[in-house]
Amino acid sequence: ALGALDDFDTKDGLQLSEAELETGELLLLNRNFSDVRMSLDQRDGALEAFFEAQDLDGTVRFLRASTGERSLIAEFERLALAKPLDSGMSMDTDPSELPEMHFYVRDLEYLGLNLGETSLEAYPIGDGLRIDSLRSVSDQVTLEARGDWTGDELESRSDFDIVMTSESLGALIDALDLSSVLEGGQTMVRYNAWWPGPPAAFELAQLNGEMNFSVVGGRLLNADPGAGRVL
C-alpha cells in the first residue's frame, strides 16, 4: 500500500483524481470496521482519505516532499480499536519503510478502554520506527509512552517505556472489563518491556520485561475468601 502511495503523484505511477467508496466492512489496521464511507482525493501534492463510520471518523493525509521525505498525517474525531484479528503479530510491514507520522485523535478507544484525547509523533530510524511521543488523556487514565518498533516484514518487536496513571485503580480495572473488588486507589503503572510484533500488538500476556506498580489510598471491598482477599 505504501508503494502505491509513493507512486501516486509520479508521471508513470498511479493517477488519481477522486474516488468514493461505501462498504459494509472495511479491514484497516488489522481490524474490521462496519458500514464505512470513504473518499479519496488528490490535492496540493497530497493524497487524502476521508473516513466516516461509527468507530472511524477522520482524515488521513499522505505527503511526499520533493526531497523524498514522506509524512502521514491523521486527524480523527473518533477512533475505536477492537481486538486485532490476528493479535496484531502478523502485519507484513517493514517498520523502517514507514513514513514520518503525526496522529491526533479527539476520542480514542482501545480494547474497550477510553483513552480520550491522544497524540502520536513518530519517525523512521535505521532499522525501524521510533515512536518519539504517545500521550493519551481521559477521565479514566493518563498514558505516556515512547519506544521503538524494529525488524522487518517477516519478524519485528516493540520496545517501549510506558507509564499509566489513574485516580482510581478500581475504575481502571472496570474500564478494562475485569472483575474488581477495589474502590479508589491512586495508581501508577510503569512498563519497561518488549513484545513480539508491532506496537498495536500490546497485550499483557505478550509482555517481557519489568513492571512497577503503585497504588495509594484504595479500599478493598467485600471479597470471597481466597485469592481475591489475599490480593
Side-chain angles (χ1 to χ4, degrees):
L2 283 175
L5 287 175
D6 278 339
D7 291 338
F8 82 89
D9 62 349
T10 63
K11 180 179 179 182
D12 299 324
L14 178 65
Q15 301 298 312
L16 175 68
S17 56
E18 186 174 358
E20 293 187 1
L21 171 71
E22 291 188 22
T23 178
E25 188 172 75
L26 176 68
L27 176 61
L28 183 68
L29 301 174
N30 197 30
R31 292 161 170 88
N32 279 329
F33 294 90
S34 300
D35 300 324
V36 180
R37 295 180 60 189
M38 182 178 68
S39 61
L40 295 173
D41 196 7
Q42 182 178 336
R43 64 178 73 178
D44 300 327
L47 181 65
E48 292 185 337
F50 305 88
F51 298 92
E52 184 178 351
Q54 180 177 346
D55 294 331
L56 180 66
D57 183 7
T59 304
V60 177
R61 189 168 188 261
F62 178 80
L63 177 66
R64 187 176 65 178
S66 58
T67 58
E69 295 179 348
R70 303 169 302 157
S71 61
L72 193 65
I73 303 167
E75 295 184 357
F76 290 95
E77 285 294 317
R78 173 167 169 76
L79 178 61
L81 297 176
K83 188 177 179 64
L85 298 180
D86 56 8
S87 299
M89 295 178 61
S90 62
M91 292 175 62
D92 54 351
T93 300
D94 185 338
S96 65
E97 295 181 355
L98 293 173
E100 181 179 298
M101 296 184 180
H102 309 276
F103 282 10
Y104 172 79
V105 184
R106 188 180 301 277
D107 181 18
L108 176 65
E109 184 178 301
Y110 184 75
L111 303 183
L113 177 62
N114 180 17
L115 294 177
E117 190 172 16
T118 301
S119 61
L120 179 146
E121 300 289 331
Y123 56 87
I125 54 178
D127 58 348
L129 185 74
R130 173 152 298 163
I131 288 78
D132 188 57
S133 172
L134 170 62
R135 178 174 172 81
S136 296
V137 180
S138 74
D139 293 337
Q140 295 173 328
V141 62
T142 297
L143 181 148
E144 294 183 277
R146 62 183 304 170
D148 295 333
W149 174 22
T150 55
D152 54 35
E153 66 273 11
L154 298 178
E155 185 176 19
S156 67
R157 60 178 274 171
S158 298
D159 294 82
F160 275 79
D161 186 29
I162 304 170
V163 178
M164 297 177 64
T165 58
S166 175
E167 289 301 311
S168 170
L169 176 62
L172 177 59
I173 291 177
D174 286 341
L176 292 171
D177 200 25
L178 300 174
S179 175
S180 175
V181 296
L182 296 169
E183 182 178 75
Q186 192 177 49
T187 305
M188 189 279 289
V189 183
R190 181 164 193 162
Y191 301 100
N192 187 350
W194 71 270
W195 58 91
F202 174 88
E203 285 187 287
L204 292 179
Q206 300 287 346
L207 294 187
N208 304 273
E210 297 182 357
M211 178 182 74
N212 293 311
F213 193 86
S214 171
V215 184
V216 179
R219 188 164 70 93
L220 183 66
L221 304 178
N222 291 331
D224 295 332
R229 178 159 309 274
V230 172
L231 176 61

